[in-house]
Amino acid sequence: MSDTPEVQQPPAAMTVLAQFIRDFSFENPRAPNSLRVEARPEVDLGVEMSAKGRSDGLFEVDLKLSVKAATSDGPMFAVELVYGGLFQLGNIPEELVEPTLLVECPRYLFPFARRIVADASSDGGFSPPFFIDPIDFGTLYMQQKAGQLGQPAAGQA
């Protein structure tokens, strides 16, 4: 038994300091004809995550969602959204900083970004609104890492 008291490390923490729309675009090029289409559209969804450190020790994380919906008659709508957050990390081991920034932070931002896309499609006249299915950011991160190692994978879904 040691006479030295055991020093406990504070728990790991991720604090969201701000959330914001960095860039946003909605296009409905065939309105109002695109609103009367009965066919189920084919949807192309792109997802990208990025993070960068700042000189003040905080991190900016961006979640980019690209949604393009089209039928055989042509495009219905397109949404481009870059939704960002400002995060503070505390007591996170160095090897877990990157996965925290590219998995946990986007996981936190996603429901808010998903709602913006749904509201835009609804406000654009589409009923029901378009809701993006849940995204497995852990798998996307692993694919992105595999791509960086020269294997065929990308940070998109």
Side-chain angles (χ1 to χ4, degrees), residues 25-150:
S25 170
F26 177 84
E27 298 175 17
N28 187 356
R30 294 182 37 246
N33 296 335
S34 60
L35 305 176
R36 294 189 288 222
V37 174
E38 297 294 323
R40 183 170 176 88
E42 185 168 317
V43 176
D44 180 28
L45 172 65
V47 179
E48 296 178 35
M49 303 90 64
S50 64
K52 66 179 180 179
R54 296 170 23 136
S55 60
D56 58 5
L58 303 177
F59 295 90
E60 292 181 28
V61 177
D62 285 339
L63 173 59
K64 181 178 180 183
L65 301 175
S66 302
V67 181
K68 294 179 181 171
T71 64
S72 59
D73 295 332
M76 291 181 66
F77 69 86
V79 179
E80 294 276 336
L81 172 64
V82 179
Y83 192 74
L86 183 62
F87 293 85
Q88 182 176 32
L89 303 181
N91 300 313
I92 294 181
E94 186 65 34
E95 67 274 8
L96 296 180
V97 169
E98 183 178 279
T100 299
L101 292 172
L102 296 176
V103 176
E104 296 306 319
C105 294
R107 186 177 290 152
Y108 180 84
L109 296 173
F110 176 72
F112 301 97
R114 179 181 191 243
R115 184 64 197 198
I116 292 167
V117 170
D119 287 349
S121 68
S122 177
D123 292 346
F126 295 94
S127 182
F130 178 74
F131 283 102
I132 299 172
D133 289 336
I135 295 172
D136 183 348
F137 290 102
T139 297
L140 284 179
Y141 173 73
M142 296 306 288
Q143 289 173 347
Q144 189 176 28
K145 290 299 283 184
Q148 289 175 356
L149 297 174

